[in-house]
Amino acid sequence: TICNLMSIIGKRFEDAGLKDLCIESGVIAEGSIQNVLTGKMYNRGVRVHKCIYEALMRLAWKQFALWVNEVHPNKLPAVHALEEQVAEVANDISQRSHDAILQSTGFGEVHRLWDAFLDHLRSSNGEQSRFWMSYVDIVNNILLALIRASREGNWLLHLHAIRAMIPWCFPYDKVNYARYLPVYLAEMINLQTDQPDVHQGLMAGHFSVQLSEGSTFGRLPVDQTTEVTINKDTKTAGGVTNFSLKTGAVNRFYMTAEYRCSFLTQLKSMVQLNQTMFHHGELQAPRIAKDEKAVSAVQNLVDSWNNPFAENQNVVSISTAK
């Protein structure tokens, strides 16, 4: 579903400057960009859209202070105070530092102003601003929401993201998804009445799998779990396709695959190869530095071309200033 969504994003924004932006900023290599835009590279595609989303939000924040100064000048000190507070904990990724910001006295006021500013970008700041805010909304409300729903086991968020995705399937010729996602959504909404036990299990998060007990926000969708467990353990040194050309041998290989995988899992557990510490790859220092470099490159490139959130922009393509 996420790969299908990324192909929709690619169709909508590729010729509006997204492809040029990805290549010239160095976020993705030119040889891989087409597969990313068509949704054929999941991990790279998700990373690309995260980086561009973050860069666009930073560009919007640059305009936010100017907008507050013009519309609510008495609220500008609260914005600057929040910026200083965030800068103080910029290198601290602990939950305590984030909670301190969220619970600060000025955060609620600035958050309400920020929501009003985003509505301004969507409705009254010109065609270009409205167009690229649609990218922000798709990535934030659907792409990242689907990932978060799986990571947290949040069934209601999953259904909310599916509902938001359905209208985009029709104009971009995703015939099968346009046909069956509404049916899927209707069945899942009625599940509480038709299959209450199944609904209870899904509400408990059983549509995704927690592999590591010590890794919060680390649940995986079932198909990805199969890839990193059974499918990974069944790979032979020469690859499954080179294992044998005999039908009987291949059938026996796959009929016993799940048992061999369970033996291998138990063996790893006995020799403590499955002892994992709490960490996420995206929170490691090298990955943070790499992503920060990518986001800064995208931000600087867009800013040098044409900030889509500057006042009253009426050109759709962000690369027209090239």
Side-chain angles (χ1 to χ4, degrees):
T1 305
I2 292 176
C3 289
N4 175 73
L5 177 66
M6 288 193 291
S7 69
I8 292 175
I9 296 174
K11 280 189 174 184
R12 179 173 174 81
F13 296 98
E14 176 180 357
D15 294 331
L18 183 63
K19 182 177 181 179
D20 296 332
L21 180 61
C22 293
I23 296 173
E24 297 194 27
S25 64
V27 176
I28 193 73
E30 185 173 1
S32 302
I33 184 61
Q34 201 58 41
N35 287 332
V36 167
L37 294 178
T38 54
K40 295 179 180 178
M41 289 185 172
Y42 175 81
N43 290 326
R44 294 185 186 182
V46 169
R47 179 178 180 270
V48 164
H49 291 303
K50 282 182 179 180
C51 290
I52 296 177
Y53 168 79
E54 173 70 18
L56 291 177
M57 284 290 92
R58 293 185 184 185
L59 290 170
W61 183 264
K62 289 178 61 177
Q63 299 297 320
F64 175 57
L66 300 176
W67 179 81
V68 171
N69 187 45
E70 179 181 349
V71 180
H72 302 285
N74 59 320
K75 305 291 183 63
L76 193 59
V79 175
H80 291 324
L82 182 63
E83 287 180 331
E84 294 175 358
Q85 189 175 5
V86 171
E88 291 177 358
V89 297
N91 296 323
D92 184 4
I93 59 175
S94 66
Q95 186 66 44
R96 180 180 300 177
S97 63
H98 287 75
D99 288 343
I101 294 175
L102 295 176
Q103 297 171 6
S104 61
T105 55
F107 178 80
E109 183 178 21
V110 175
H111 188 270
R112 287 189 292 272
L113 288 172
W114 175 249
D115 284 341
F117 174 67
L118 293 182
D119 289 337
H120 163 70
L121 294 181
R122 294 185 184 98
S123 59
S124 57
N125 195 48
E127 294 178 3
Q128 181 172 225
S129 176
R130 185 183 303 114
F131 179 76
W132 285 100
M133 278 304 296
S134 70
Y135 175 87
V136 169
D137 291 336
I138 292 173
V139 173
N140 182 56
N141 297 336
I142 307 179
L143 177 64
L144 297 182
L146 285 171
I147 295 175
R148 178 179 177 180
S150 297
R151 294 280 185 89
E152 295 181 346
N154 189 333
W155 180 243
L156 295 181
L157 179 60
H158 171 78
L159 295 182
H160 172 79
I162 292 295
R163 182 191 296 271
M165 178 180 170
I166 290 173
W168 291 104
C169 297
F170 288 87
Y172 293 99
D173 299 327
K174 299 299 179 181
V175 178
N176 290 332
Y177 281 86
R179 179 180 297 169
Y180 294 114
L181 274 186
V183 177
Y184 166 74
L185 180 63
E187 290 180 347
M188 295 303 102
I189 291 176
N190 293 321
L191 204 59
Q192 186 172 5
T193 303
D194 298 339
Q195 299 288 340
D197 293 339
V198 176
H199 177 264
Q200 185 177 359
L202 294 176
M203 289 293 292
H206 295 165
F207 63 98
S208 57
V209 181
Q210 180 76 49
L211 290 179
S212 176
E213 295 296 332
S215 180
T216 58
F217 199 67
R219 301 177 70 93
L220 293 175
V222 176
D223 55 342
Q224 284 185 319
T225 304
T226 304
E227 289 290 339
V228 300
T229 53
I230 297 178
N231 288 0
K232 181 180 178 181
D233 291 339
T234 54
K235 303 296 183 183
T236 62
V240 175
T241 56
N242 296 327
F243 171 73
S244 176
L245 296 178
K246 296 181 180 180
T247 303
V250 174
N251 289 339
R252 288 193 298 273
F253 179 84
Y254 280 105
M255 288 180 65
T256 60
E258 59 178 302
Y259 302 104
R260 288 184 285 105
C261 291
S262 65
F263 299 155
L264 183 58
T265 301
Q266 293 181 31
L267 177 61
K268 290 179 179 179
S269 178
M270 289 176 59
V271 298
Q272 298 183 347
L273 286 179
N274 286 335
Q275 300 297 324
T276 57
M277 300 297 292
F278 165 69
H279 71 278
H280 293 289
E282 296 179 0
L283 295 181
Q284 302 306 301
R287 178 61 183 271
I288 292 176
K290 181 180 180 180
D291 287 347
E292 176 62 28
K293 182 179 178 181
V295 171
S296 298
V298 173
Q299 180 183 354
N300 295 334
L301 185 60
V302 175
D303 215 6
S304 67
W305 287 353
N306 189 17
N307 187 341
F309 304 124
E311 289 294 328
N312 296 322
Q313 299 289 329
N314 290 312
V315 182
V316 172
S317 175
I318 64 174
S319 60
T320 53
K322 291 174 57 180

